[in-house]
Amino acid sequence: AHLNIKEGRALLLNLPFAPIVSIARNQEDIKEAFVIRYLDGIVDRYVCFDDYQVKYTYYAHRNYPSLLVQELKINNHRNQIIDLNLVLPRIIGEWPTSVTQTTKIQHGAKIVEYQVITGYVDAIEKGKIRAVSIVHRLIPRSVLTLNKRGKITMNFLTTINYSKLITKDQYAQQKDLVEKFAIEAMKKVLDEHLRDDDRPGDALYEFRKQHTS
């Protein structure tokens, strides 16, 4: 699915970028269901394959307006190892103004690589554009190995920042600003919530609890 950003009073402006991480479908016969928790602002998606089940959880964090959170939980029901192909965040079609680079962000004692995509899109108003910057963790491998009767939980964070309506002449100046803000927003989340001294499950629980409280 494409990413849409706000234009006017609704999410009307389409970006040629797909932020969702998912498991590639390797069979036709699957069962799928969605649960939308309106009061919590959370969408749960359940996908059942023959050998394993995947639960996806999506929400835009209420205390971090730039942040999209994705949680994946995979449960292998069989006594065999399974290799799964990941569908990773990517540009869809053409985005000729976009520039992609990597940046390293300190995460506790570790340094983690993130991908930064910055460009502009034409706004609905004629002659106007919006500068956009997207930051997400760089995932080096697209194949995930699931152990016998194993369980895997993965979390993916994406920050999105975009400018007010500007002209193309203003883009060079706004580009650096929106890019800096998107990177700083990611650093803030990592520093405040996902520290190395936390157990991952506890940190994620508190992070989601802050969103729903």
Side-chain angles (χ1 to χ4, degrees):
H2 289 77
L3 181 66
N4 281 29
I5 60 176
K6 190 174 181 181
E7 182 80 346
R9 296 184 178 181
L11 299 174
L12 298 177
L13 195 57
N14 184 276
L15 300 182
F17 178 77
I20 301 300
V21 179
S22 62
I23 304 299
R25 300 188 180 191
N26 57 1
Q27 62 190 59
E28 294 296 329
D29 186 19
I30 66 170
K31 296 180 180 180
E32 186 173 13
F34 289 85
V35 177
I36 302 175
R37 293 183 267 165
Y38 288 100
L39 294 180
D40 292 337
I42 293 176
V43 175
D44 292 318
R45 174 189 173 204
Y46 299 86
V47 183
C48 294
F49 296 85
D50 290 338
D51 300 330
Y52 57 93
Q53 174 184 312
V54 185
K55 177 187 177 184
Y56 303 91
T57 299
Y58 312 110
Y59 57 96
H61 204 287
R62 289 170 173 167
N63 289 353
Y64 297 90
S66 301
L67 182 65
L68 171 66
V69 182
Q70 304 178 63
E71 304 171 15
L72 274 69
K73 295 182 179 180
I74 310 171
N75 189 356
N76 182 7
H77 302 295
R78 298 294 180 89
N79 191 32
Q80 61 184 18
I81 296 175
I82 303 174
D83 286 332
L84 305 176
N85 292 315
L86 289 175
V87 178
L88 302 177
R90 64 208 180 279
I91 293 175
I92 296 179
E94 296 183 358
W95 192 359
T97 64
S98 67
V99 176
T100 301
Q101 58 181 317
T102 58
T103 186
K104 295 181 179 179
I105 298 178
Q106 190 78 29
H107 186 185
K110 298 182 295 185
I111 296 179
V112 181
E113 281 195 328
Y114 282 77
Q115 189 169 70
V116 183
I117 302 173
T118 306
Y120 71 78
V121 290
D122 292 323
I124 295 175
E125 184 178 336
K126 187 176 180 180
K128 299 291 186 178
I129 64 170
R130 288 190 188 272
V132 181
S133 189
I134 302 165
V135 178
H136 65 88
R137 186 163 183 168
L138 189 63
I139 305 171
R141 296 181 68 247
S142 60
V143 178
L144 181 68
T145 299
L146 191 58
N147 292 328
K148 299 177 181 179
R149 299 193 179 277
K151 297 180 181 180
I152 293 179
T153 298
M154 298 181 294
N155 311 301
F156 300 97
L157 306 179
T158 304
T159 53
I160 306 104
N161 185 44
Y162 51 93
S163 69
K164 61 182 181 180
L165 291 174
I166 59 174
T167 63
K168 290 183 180 179
D169 292 338
Q170 297 172 298
Y171 174 68
Q173 178 183 7
Q174 290 294 320
K175 172 185 177 295
D176 293 337
L177 293 176
V178 296
E179 187 175 284
K180 179 181 178 181
F181 187 91
I183 295 172
E184 291 301 319
M186 181 64 75
K187 288 180 178 179
K188 182 178 181 181
V189 173
L190 296 176
D191 288 343
E192 293 183 358
H193 291 280
L194 304 177
R195 301 178 298 272
D196 281 349
D197 56 351
D198 290 326
R199 289 185 297 177
D202 293 344
L204 185 61
Y205 172 79
E206 291 298 330
F207 191 52
R208 193 188 307 121
K209 183 179 178 181
Q210 187 188 63
H211 165 75
T212 56
S213 60

